[in-house]
Amino acid sequence: MPDTEIAPAQTGQHEPIPLRKLFEPVKVGPYDLRHRVVMAPLTRSRASRPGNIPSQLNACYYAQRASAALVISEATQVSMQGQGYAWTPGIHSREQIEGWRLVADAVHEAGGLMFMQLWHVGRISHPSLQPDEMLPVAPSAVRPQAEAFIENERGEGVLAPCVTPRALQVEEMPYLVRQYFRGARNAKAAGMDGVEVHGANGYLLDQFLLSGTNRRTDTYGGSSERRARLLFEVIEAVCEVWGPEKVGVRLSPLGTFNDMHDDYPEETFSYVIEKLSGYGLAYLHIVNPALAATADDVAFAERATRMNAMIRRTYRGVLMVAGGFDGSSAESWLEDGKADLIAFGRLFIANPDLPERFRSRAPLNAPDPSTFYGGGERGYTDYPSLAQERGDTPRSVIDGRWR
Ligand SMILES: Cc1cc2nc3c(=O)[nH]c(=O)nc-3n(C[C@H](O)[C@H](O)[C@H](O)COP(=O)(O)O)c2cc1C
């Protein structure tokens, strides 16, 4: 499943440390954020079909969460080739642009700010999701020990092993960059406030970046600089549409999700982060490498700490970190200057009014993993806000009203 190889979310009562930093305003590009509680990108596989088009249901879900300092959309494929899971939304057709407009308008009407995460899965796909049932593409023909989430003949979502992908020809690279460019332009047409380039979690850009998946000998493989070429070409194309101040980039150093590995991650990421610093982006978004550490792997935990410190030292700009945070740990990261913004994933799934719950120290609802992917309202738009728990607001939400 997408992006879920992680420890259980923190829920329950917060320890009584004052959450001051979390509620300090911060400037991100041209935007003044009211606080620092960001909604992380979260795939929910609930686009309407056929066509993988966002609907009023999705608009409702996002608008419920508009009190986030910034809402980052679920990963959104920039092309049919870029899709790796059933029912994820795209941003490559006219109908999808119109669907996303419903979402952007609803979030804006509820007072929120929204970036779209632009996605190409590369090898983490399956022929049944690809145009003409072709093979998924990748930097090299390296089969991942991973699974794609596909629709079976009965219309149900099932897991299927990924296949050996086709290595991209160098002549195809401009068309890949073009897919992101079009996605960025379409996100603008849909009324988004910016975009985030998904360079994390073992998808296409990460596959190019890491040596375990990139065995190329042309200008897109070999040194860190060459493996990072596609990432930077994509960032530059997207910045052409938006200007760098409305573009974020997400990376997952030391991440192993989707069968990823790099021989020299410190070298790879110090090169990338130093170069990213020069772009004047809205933010850099890091999936906390410590998230992949197991409790007894002290050496890995220390390596993750060093990686985080290197990133903070090297990156001259707004730094967002995600992964395993609750209110207290977020506050102490901000207090210690280790990040400027904290993104919350699973807690935002279960708590549409997460900032208010942090502020008032209200108990948190626990997320239900069985409803993360696919389905309808249940486990999506029916987690109650505090106002709904008190009975101040009706719980019905999909009739076009969301508060
Ligand atoms: C259901 C689910 C879907 C996710 N989808 C995405 C995604 O579309 N893009 C992405 O970059 N990360 C995705 N992630 C990772 C989250 O953004 C986040 O990094 C992760 O959940 C760790 O944060 P948390 O401990 O606050 O949940 C997903 C995670 C979950 C649980």
Side-chain angles (χ1 to χ4, degrees):
M1 303 300 290
D3 301 295
T4 46
E5 206 183 54
I6 40 183
Q10 312 284 320
T11 53
Q13 205 70 46
H14 315 295
E15 297 127 44
I17 79 157
L19 305 180
R20 276 193 219 103
K21 269 278 181 192
L22 210 48
F23 290 98
E24 272 181 16
V26 59
K27 205 163 173 70
V28 170
Y31 302 115
D32 292 310
L33 273 46
R34 293 159 291 183
H35 55 79
R36 290 154 190 252
V37 182
V38 171
M39 178 176 169
L42 292 158
T43 291
R44 305 302 310 274
S45 284
R46 281 168 168 86
S48 63
R49 57 196 102 135
N52 300 313
I53 300 163
S55 68
Q56 196 59 253
L57 175 68
N58 309 122
C60 168
Y61 161 80
Y62 281 109
Q64 286 175 333
R65 288 157 180 78
S67 65
L70 170 68
V71 174
I72 305 172
S73 83
E74 63 209 276
T76 301
Q77 61 265 5
V78 291
S79 63
M80 279 176 77
Q81 187 193 58
Q83 184 175 3
Y85 304 89
W87 318 315
T88 55
I91 187 68
H92 50 88
S93 75
R94 195 159 35 81
E95 294 77 12
Q96 289 163 346
I97 297 173
E98 282 160 18
W100 278 115
R101 180 163 278 290
L102 289 177
V103 176
D105 287 351
V107 169
H108 290 150
E109 199 187 310
L113 186 72
M114 184 164 189
F115 277 32
M116 176 180 286
Q117 191 185 47
L118 298 178
W119 194 30
H120 189 307
V121 296
R123 67 179 188 159
I124 305 299
S125 186
H126 189 271
S128 68
L129 292 164
Q130 292 289 304
D132 297 326
E133 304 203 0
M134 289 193 287
L135 288 175
V137 297
S140 306
V142 181
R143 182 178 183 167
Q145 294 298 315
E147 287 171 319
F149 179 63
I150 64 171
E151 183 176 330
N152 69 13
E153 309 75 47
R154 292 188 296 284
E156 301 151 347
V158 289
L159 292 171
C162 291
V163 299
T164 304
R166 174 177 72 78
L168 283 154
Q169 305 280 319
V170 74
E171 294 77 18
E172 294 176 270
M173 303 307 283
Y175 298 100
L176 272 177
V177 177
R178 192 76 201 166
Q179 291 177 23
Y180 285 90
F181 178 82
R182 179 183 61 184
R185 209 179 44 196
N186 289 348
K188 197 167 213 182
M192 292 288 151
D193 300 298
V195 289
E196 177 178 287
V197 173
H198 195 346
N201 299 347
Y203 299 110
L204 184 75
L205 299 177
D206 203 22
Q207 289 160 28
F208 269 86
L209 192 56
L210 302 199
S211 61
T213 34
N214 185 339
R215 313 268 167 86
R216 301 177 74 93
T217 52
D218 61 12
T219 50
Y220 288 89
S223 62
S224 302
E225 190 178 341
R226 287 175 171 222
R227 284 183 277 114
R229 179 185 302 263
L230 180 63
L231 173 69
F232 285 106
E233 286 180 354
V234 165
I235 291 170
E236 282 165 28
V238 164
C239 287
E240 240 180 81
V241 176
W242 281 96
E245 69 286 354
K246 294 183 182 170
V247 173
V249 173
R250 191 174 220 216
L251 299 174
S252 51
L254 303 181
T256 54
F257 180 66
N258 279 329
D259 198 16
M260 295 303 286
H261 163 79
D262 192 63
D263 289 329
Y264 302 103
E266 285 76 13
E267 193 181 306
T268 303
F269 283 92
S270 54
Y271 168 75
V272 169
I273 307 266
E274 175 60 44
K275 182 157 177 175
L276 277 175
S277 263
Y279 279 83
L281 298 171
Y283 61 83
L284 169 63
H285 185 178
I286 296 291
V287 180
N288 182 4
L291 202 58
T294 52
D296 52 356
D297 193 346
V298 179
F300 184 87
E302 285 174 3
R303 192 175 191 189
T305 303
R306 284 196 301 275
M307 179 66 86
N308 280 326
M310 179 283 285
I311 293 169
R312 185 53 166 179
R313 220 174 31 244
T314 310
Y315 188 67
R316 300 177 296 279
V318 174
L319 181 63
M320 183 189 305
V321 180
F325 286 99
D326 63 7
S328 302
S329 55
E331 177 69 18
S332 56
W333 270 59
L334 294 172
E335 188 62 49
D336 295 347
K338 287 154 72 177
D340 304 305
L341 290 163
I342 304 290
F344 297 85
R346 289 160 296 170
L347 289 186
F348 248 118
I349 288 179
N351 297 278
D353 53 351
L354 187 62
E356 180 51 29
R357 284 176 189 259
F358 281 153
R359 203 191 294 273
S360 61
R361 301 192 170 286
L364 302 177
N365 303 317
D368 172 7
S370 73
T371 53
F372 278 179
Y373 305 105
E377 266 183 89
R378 197 169 72 79
Y380 191 55
T381 49
D382 63 352
Y383 286 106
S385 66
L386 286 169
Q388 286 166 330
E389 279 173 11
R390 285 194 302 260
D392 297 351
T393 318
R395 288 184 67 146
S396 158
V397 280
I398 57 160
D399 56 357
R401 307 202 55 78
W402 34 80
R403 276 165 290 172

